[in-house]
Amino acid sequence: MRPILLQGHERSLTQIKFNRDGDLLFSCSKDHVINVWYTHNGERLGTYDGNNGTVWTVDVDSESLFMVSGAADNTLRLWNVATGKCLYTWEFPTAVKRVAFSEDDNQVVCITEQRMGHQCAIRVFNINRSGDGTKQSKEPAHMFNPIGSKATVCAFTAQPNIIITGHESGKVSLFNVKTGEEINNNERAHSEVVTDLQLSPDKTYCITSSKDKSARIHDTKTLMVIKTFTTETPLNSAALAPNRPYVLLGGGQEAMQVTTTSLRQGKFETRFWHKVFEEEVGRVKGHFGPINTIAVHPKGTYYASGGEDGFVRVHHFDESYFKTELYGDLQIED
Amino acid sequence: EDQRESETVNTELLAHRRRLVDEWNAWRVRCKKERAEQKGQEGGHENQGEEDKEEIEVWIDEVIEQIEEEVVD
């Protein structure tokens, strides 16, 4: 199947996210806009306007009712998915770099940047889901400043009130959001900034990517590194393919260094690795610039990548992807 | 002799992969068990209602025209 090109952003993509059903794909960008697309045909369903700066991050709840976004204009916003209306805006002293919903949709965690005398902060907000969503509490339910290296990515784990974070130093940690206590960490998870963190469907493991050119699978309870995938370019994103034993990695040279790329065809590739054998199994090219963000459909039927080039590419896996037993008949648990 | 050697390598590689899969599966089973126990303690409300949906999609992927432009500088 030919990839679907989603054209609508004018600047590089920062994060893309499927909703739980996988029928919608949310994308945010440096052009200040968030778009939502139908995944089956690439048609744009709508746009969320209002941000006055790069939108760094989005997440959508499990019912596709509310969406949250974080941006360089120092705001965290709550949106009505269907109407495109901004329901509530929280303001901070610095940019919001990462947001994520809790599994029950009742909380949102966000990371604000360290800048101009302000420390990096992690806040958790309770989301009032009753009514039209416009009545939210201004103050966070929990807030703390992670000690040491600043956090770059975060997500709720399967355990109540525990979040997993990736840091600028390459550290991966577990924090109790109620107390702000660092419960566990792996200082040497990566040797450079952690650029992405995505959880498995049951949240028992996660994959991180880093500028240190590697991606790793960690046990979210013990933070033990289970697998390592070492590439030759700095990585911006890593995703797990549900129901198949693969991980998808994306990255590339820094935008500054991109000068020798062919004009006819994008040379930047999404790399597929076997998640158990730690071997590269394939590449899909197409982007004209580094790949900033990758997401896989919750059922594992498509994947999408967002690039520095401003495009989102949606690829439907073809039949051979599901049938091929690359390394023989071995049953691998998801 | 070469062939025999490559066969040995293959067998070793196969055994290695088999071991990796066994380790992975053992870890996954342990994780899933712990997760199920934790869910049980919380009162266990699993997400349901996924299976009663039936979707029918018809795919038509037809290339009507394809232009490839080559920029010469």
Side-chain angles (χ1 to χ4, degrees):
Chain A
M1 189 101 185
R2 298 156 63 80
I4 304 173
L5 205 58
L6 310 186
Q7 290 168 282
H9 283 293
E10 284 166 15
R11 290 195 58 197
S12 55
L13 275 295
T14 48
Q15 195 174 14
I16 55 174
K17 207 99 188 213
F18 283 97
N19 66 343
R20 199 173 102 177
D21 290 341
D23 59 332
L24 302 176
L25 181 73
F26 294 83
S27 63
C28 60
S29 151
K30 288 189 177 172
D31 65 9
H32 307 187
V33 170
I34 304 160
N35 280 321
V36 58
W37 317 79
Y38 287 113
T39 49
H40 72 283
N41 61 5
E43 193 186 323
R44 182 158 56 179
L45 168 64
T47 296
Y48 304 84
D49 284 311
N51 279 109
N52 297 310
T54 294
V55 186
W56 289 115
T57 174
V58 285
D59 198 15
V60 58
D61 70 18
S62 65
E63 296 172 3
S64 303
L65 187 63
F66 295 139
M67 186 258 290
V68 283
S69 65
D73 62 5
N74 305 347
T75 62
L76 167 71
R77 287 168 199 258
L78 182 74
W79 306 82
N80 180 314
V81 169
T83 65
K85 226 178 85 184
C86 179
L87 302 170
Y88 197 86
T89 304
W90 290 269
E91 286 196 57
F92 308 110
T94 60
V96 180
K97 294 305 289 267
R98 193 78 168 193
V99 295
F101 267 105
S102 62
E103 195 170 21
D104 63 5
D105 299 330
N106 289 322
Q107 289 188 319
V108 164
V109 60
C110 82
I111 297 176
T112 51
E113 214 174 10
Q114 169 187 328
R115 188 170 280 182
M116 295 176 294
H118 294 281
Q119 276 182 283
C120 166
I122 294 177
R123 292 175 179 84
V124 173
F125 289 92
N126 289 328
I127 301 297
N128 174 12
R129 300 182 61 82
S130 59
D132 60 2
T134 56
K135 291 184 184 59
Q136 302 296 335
S137 65
K138 193 164 171 278
E139 297 304 319
H142 312 294
M143 176 183 161
F144 64 95
N145 303 104
I147 28 152
S149 178
K150 70 175 189 181
T152 50
V153 290
C154 65
F156 282 96
T157 65
Q159 284 120 308
N161 297 309
I162 309 292
I163 58 161
I164 184 162
T165 54
H167 296 253
E168 195 175 39
S169 64
K171 176 173 82 166
V172 171
S173 294
L174 291 174
F175 282 96
N176 181 324
V177 293
K178 279 188 157 173
T179 61
E181 182 200 354
E182 188 173 33
I183 298 164
N184 195 354
N185 72 37
N186 178 0
E187 294 278 357
R188 291 154 176 270
H190 287 284
S191 59
E192 285 185 59
V193 54
V194 179
T195 49
D196 196 10
L197 186 157
Q198 299 192 20
L199 287 157
S200 67
D202 67 0
K203 297 181 187 255
T204 57
Y205 67 102
C206 68
I207 188 163
T208 55
S209 63
S210 167
K211 291 285 185 195
D212 73 1
K213 306 182 181 176
S214 73
R216 289 193 148 135
I217 286 179
H218 313 257
D219 186 311
T220 41
K221 212 168 179 184
T222 62
L223 296 189
M224 201 163 71
V225 172
I226 306 292
K227 295 288 170 187
T228 301
F229 313 96
T230 309
T231 71
E232 61 275 19
T233 55
L235 294 178
N236 298 327
S237 190
L240 299 158
N243 310 321
R244 298 294 289 146
Y246 306 126
V247 296
L248 286 69
L249 314 178
Q253 303 135 285
E254 291 301 325
M256 302 274 292
Q257 299 164 348
V258 182
T259 48
T260 52
T261 319
S262 155
L263 290 161
R264 191 170 62 86
Q265 197 193 12
K267 287 277 170 45
F268 288 85
E269 297 160 317
T270 299
R271 296 135 192 268
F272 285 69
W273 283 63
H274 196 286
K275 80 177 172 190
V276 176
F277 304 137
E278 300 170 307
E279 289 173 36
E280 185 168 337
V281 293
R283 293 185 184 193
V284 175
K285 59 183 167 192
H287 280 287
F288 293 92
I291 292 163
N292 291 339
T293 172
I294 297 176
V296 185
H297 186 285
K299 291 200 176 70
T301 47
Y302 329 146
Y303 85 91
S305 54
E308 189 67 27
D309 58 8
F311 294 119
V312 177
R313 300 173 69 89
V314 179
H315 294 256
H316 295 241
F317 291 123
D318 45 51
E319 221 167 307
S320 64
Y321 168 85
F322 298 103
K323 283 190 177 154
T324 311
E325 300 286 354
L326 270 184
Y327 297 92
D329 185 22
L330 294 167
Q331 272 303 318
I332 297 168
E333 295 276 335
D334 202 33
Chain B
E1 198 175 309
D2 277 353
Q3 197 187 342
R4 212 178 315 132
E5 202 168 291
S6 75
E7 273 170 16
T8 324
V9 171
N10 272 335
T11 322
E12 275 173 20
L13 192 62
L14 225 69
H16 174 64
R17 287 196 176 130
R18 163 63 63 191
R19 209 191 65 231
L20 287 176
V21 168
D22 288 346
E23 281 173 9
W24 172 274
N25 287 352
W27 169 66
R28 290 307 300 145
V29 167
R30 207 165 58 235
C31 286
K32 285 174 187 171
K33 208 176 129 222
E34 281 178 19
R35 181 91 169 100
E37 280 166 10
Q38 193 202 332
K39 283 229 161 172
Q41 282 168 7
E42 284 167 21
H45 44 86
E46 262 297 306
N47 297 314
Q48 70 245 23
E50 290 272 320
E51 60 293 310
D52 52 355
K53 264 189 233 168
E54 190 188 351
E55 271 182 53
I56 298 163
E57 288 182 25
V58 181
W59 282 101
I60 303 164
D61 186 28
E62 188 184 353
V63 182
I64 296 164
E65 188 185 20
Q66 177 165 319
I67 303 165
E68 276 204 19
E69 277 183 54
E70 200 147 348
V71 181
V72 183
D73 36 27

